[in-house]
Amino acid sequence: MKIETNKSLLELNTFGVPCTASSFVSISNLEQLRSALQYSNAQQKNLLILGGGSNVLLPSQFDGLVLSNDLKGIRKFHEDREHVWVECMGGENWDDLVRFSVSNKWGGLENLSLIPGSVGAAPMQNIGAYGIELCDSFDYLLAMEIKTGALRVFDKQDCEFGYRESVFKRALKGQYVIVSIVVRLAKKPKLVLSYGAIKAKLAEKKLQPSVAAVREVVVEIRRAKLPDPASIGNCGSFFKNVLVSTKVLERIKKDYPEVPSYPQDDPTKVKIPTGWLVEKCGWKGKRVGNTGAYEKQALVLVNHGGATGEEVLELSEKIIASVKQKFDIAIEREVNVIL
């Protein structure tokens, strides 16, 4: 285990903001992970677990230890007549797990194609897209307690999944490192085609519905509306979509009858796309210094080059305030802000 000092994280976060970590270590096995945690505890250092760097906004300087999760491996280890169970280590790229499942014609993850980030970060966020969330296929995960180095299994109930939420963002925030996850995938997939433009895109391309076809069109849709971090720094959706009461929706409809909304299991609640709210506040495509809201999707904040994490945070605060003022709705960040 090699501890680096004054490590630049510029190339390790998709926002492309400059950040220098006073200490940095990359781990590739459980022994190294346990040793790194022991070192951090002994030195009483601030600790940041860094996966793909795709859902995090970093400060210009991080005074502590940044631990990069490089645990690798994907394997099928169990099956029955209807399902297969696949274990994936936390340092794997999320889309590689999706590609693995689709290549084997197993269903459950195809709608989550091309979501950036690492597998270890996925359950923390309960990632979701196009009518599917990770929790729909999730079985359990293995995590190491930061304080003791002890391993613990968390099942779905233990994880307390919610909309872009889990126990790891609330009661157990900063207490565990996710080592691996296990997903249960269907041999005879039940495709979810009703959300977004999936069904229309399949028809346009004259594709018969299958896990491979769904992955193909989801990738195409995402690439068309979301910027590539290799070209312009971003973390994908910066804000969560918002749940409001039906009364709030009716209030907004008086001025904006075209407002999009999606019904929820709770009949008193609806989801309104936060990107729509941000766009109506005039932010879509607007540039503020080196930052801005993406021209094709207002939900995405971007780094036009040279922006710091502090500048991006300031922009997000202005957007939150403007949505509150115009619609009396409080929107929340989806990105993990370290500042």
Side-chain angles (χ1 to χ4, degrees), residues 146-159:
I146 290 172
K147 185 177 180 180
T148 65
L151 291 171
R152 176 180 167 184
V153 173
F154 289 81
D155 62 19
K156 185 183 295 189
Q157 184 175 350
D158 295 330
C159 290

Side-chain angles (χ1 to χ4, degrees), residues 57 291 309-319 333:
L57 184 61
T291 68
E310 289 82 359
E311 288 178 276
V312 177
L313 179 62
E314 183 179 357
L315 173 64
S316 73
E317 289 174 342
K318 290 178 179 177
I319 291 173
R333 300 179 186 89

Side-chain angles (χ1 to χ4, degrees), residues 57-125:
L57 184 61
L58 298 172
S60 298
Q61 178 72 39
F62 182 79
D63 184 20
L65 177 66
V66 173
L67 191 156
S68 178
N69 185 341
D70 200 31
L71 299 169
K72 300 293 186 182
I74 305 175
R75 69 183 181 104
K76 181 191 83 171
F77 71 95
H78 181 64
E79 66 180 302
D80 60 19
R81 292 181 62 183
E82 297 182 348
H83 298 95
V84 297
W85 281 257
V86 174
E87 180 187 43
C88 187
M89 302 303 289
E92 288 284 355
N93 177 275
W94 169 260
D95 199 50
D96 287 346
L97 173 58
V98 180
R99 187 181 294 109
F100 177 81
S101 67
V102 169
S103 68
N104 285 285
K105 301 181 180 179
W106 301 328
L109 303 181
E110 56 279 356
N111 292 45
L112 305 180
S113 292
L114 213 63
I115 293 179
S118 66
V119 167
M124 295 179 65
Q125 183 84 352

Side-chain angles (χ1 to χ4, degrees), residues 115-264:
I115 293 179
S118 66
V119 167
M124 295 179 65
Q125 183 84 352
N126 187 25
I127 59 173
Y130 303 105
I132 293 294
E133 293 181 316
L134 170 61
C135 62
D136 299 323
S137 299
F138 179 89
D139 197 0
Y140 64 88
L141 64 79
L142 182 67
M144 183 176 289
E145 188 176 24
I146 290 172
K147 185 177 180 180
T148 65
L151 291 171
R152 176 180 167 184
V153 173
F154 289 81
D155 62 19
K156 185 183 295 189
Q157 184 175 350
D158 295 330
C159 290
E160 298 178 13
F161 289 124
Y163 174 61
R164 303 299 175 270
E165 289 284 355
S166 73
V167 71
F168 303 105
K169 291 182 71 175
R170 298 191 300 267
L172 297 182
K173 184 175 181 179
Q175 296 184 38
Y176 284 87
V177 180
I178 295 175
V179 170
S180 65
I181 73 168
V182 171
V183 290
R184 187 182 70 165
L185 305 175
K187 291 182 176 180
K188 295 181 180 179
K190 295 180 180 179
L191 302 175
V192 177
L193 309 177
S194 58
Y195 198 95
I198 292 178
K199 188 178 292 185
K201 183 63 72 172
L202 286 170
E204 175 189 321
K205 297 175 71 69
K206 298 180 180 179
L207 294 173
Q208 289 297 315
S210 66
V211 291
V214 170
R215 172 172 169 78
E216 179 180 333
V217 300
V218 167
V219 167
E220 186 172 325
I221 292 167
R222 289 185 67 90
R223 283 179 172 160
K225 74 174 187 176
L226 298 175
D228 182 353
S231 301
I232 184 169
N234 74 93
C235 280
S237 298
F238 196 91
F239 303 101
K240 300 178 184 178
N241 284 320
V242 65
L243 294 179
V244 301
S245 69
T246 51
K247 290 183 180 179
V248 170
L249 176 63
E250 292 307 313
R251 169 173 61 79
I252 294 175
K253 277 186 174 181
K254 291 179 182 178
D255 294 318
Y256 300 95
E258 78 281 9
V259 55
S261 63
Y262 301 93
Q264 303 298 297

